[in-house]
Amino acid sequence: ETGVTQSPTHLIKTRGQQVTLRCSSQSGHNTVSWYQQALGQGPQFIFQYYREEENGRGNFPPRFSGLQFPNYSSELNVNALELDDSALYLCASSPDKNTEAFFGQGTRLTVV
Amino acid sequence: TQLLEQSPQFLSIQEGENLTVYCNSSSVFSSLQWYRQEPGEGPVLLVTVVTGGEVKKLKRLTFQFGDARKDSSLHITAAQPGDTGLYLCAGEAIFGNEKLTFGTGTRLTIIP
């Protein structure tokens, strides 16, 4: 139990649609990072938010966007879904930028 | 983008045997973390190593960070079925926008 919860746990969307995934961080954790984990691979860094501002981004196109809110929750938005976006999406929160990160259980997104 | 290669990719051994998992890169990392991930869950942090040559022990698990901070190993003594899972190494970059770079993962199965 890491205190980080993600919703929904599973989701099926159609190619071209938009999706919003949500993460509730531990209270007091100012940093949240989002990762994409394809089947059989390690997580890939999407972006990080610190105190509601983007603080680093991986090699993902602009249709992947995020928000972090003052109540320690955050969102990952993906527009114009593609089949290759099917993956487990993980959020991880930490008290500060370079401290231990605690992962949620992930959202399994399937694009058909 | 820093790359972390893990070997072996899959490992299946009998209960009671010893094993070593390797994590290698051509890049230098400020720190390196090891995670274990079970199906349907997010990765759980096992250990963080920060100093070149550092060795940390966690019960039957021994973690080593290479002298040049480019590689790491995880050794498990007397493996038990509860050790089964996906083991991921992740390096924290010194430069650049990517926060944690994850390895390709080692899927370990311990046969009772």
Side-chain angles (χ1 to χ4, degrees):
Chain A
E1 181 64 45
T2 62
V4 180
T5 57
Q6 293 185 240
S7 62
T9 55
H10 296 82
L11 194 56
I12 300 175
K13 302 291 275 188
T14 304
R15 188 172 52 184
Q17 284 188 314
Q18 179 266 342
V19 69
T20 297
L21 310 181
R22 293 180 172 83
C23 173
S24 177
S25 302
Q26 283 193 29
S27 180
H29 281 197
N30 295 312
T31 304
V32 65
S33 303
W34 284 89
Y35 294 84
Q36 180 195 66
Q37 186 175 22
L39 201 60
Q41 298 183 22
Q44 298 292 314
F45 174 73
I46 303 175
F47 43 59
Q48 183 185 83
Y49 279 79
Y50 174 71
R51 294 183 186 257
E52 302 161 49
E53 292 195 2
E54 189 176 290
N55 181 50
R57 189 179 180 91
N59 190 26
F60 280 80
R63 58 190 185 84
F64 285 78
S65 63
L67 284 171
Q68 185 185 25
F69 303 101
N71 65 351
Y72 306 110
S73 66
S74 62
E75 291 180 353
L76 164 64
N77 298 288
V78 187
N79 293 323
L81 283 166
E82 301 176 359
L83 297 179
D84 285 348
D85 295 333
S86 295
L88 180 69
Y89 287 85
L90 296 161
C91 79
S93 77
S94 52
D96 209 335
K97 290 185 219 180
N98 298 313
T99 54
E100 177 183 348
F102 297 86
F103 282 83
Q105 83 283 6
T107 293
R108 173 74 61 189
L109 173 66
T110 302
V111 182
V112 298
Chain B
T1 301
Q2 295 89 351
L3 292 175
L4 278 167
E5 297 285 340
Q6 286 184 240
S7 61
Q9 188 177 358
F10 297 95
L11 184 58
S12 183
I13 63 171
Q14 293 290 132
E15 181 178 358
E17 292 184 352
N18 302 332
L19 67 108
T20 302
V21 175
Y22 300 93
C23 174
N24 295 294
S25 176
S26 57
S27 302
V28 178
F29 294 96
S30 61
S31 68
L32 196 135
Q33 302 174 6
W34 284 93
Y35 291 81
R36 185 170 75 200
Q37 185 178 21
E38 301 192 28
E41 298 182 12
V44 175
L45 180 66
L46 297 174
V47 78
T48 301
V49 286
V50 296
T51 306
E54 182 177 3
V55 176
K56 278 192 175 179
K57 292 192 175 184
L58 186 67
K59 296 183 180 178
R60 294 176 293 101
L61 279 60
T62 302
F63 304 86
Q64 184 163 8
F65 201 12
D67 291 340
R69 292 187 291 151
K70 293 182 179 181
D71 54 83
S72 180
S73 63
L74 158 60
H75 182 79
I76 301 179
T77 303
Q80 299 178 2
D83 296 328
T84 294
L86 178 68
Y87 287 81
L88 295 159
C89 65
E92 186 165 4
I94 295 177
F95 304 107
N97 276 330
E98 293 209 17
K99 301 304 176 182
L100 270 184
T101 299
F102 277 85
T104 47
T106 294
R107 186 160 298 282
L108 175 64
T109 302
I110 307 302
I111 304 166

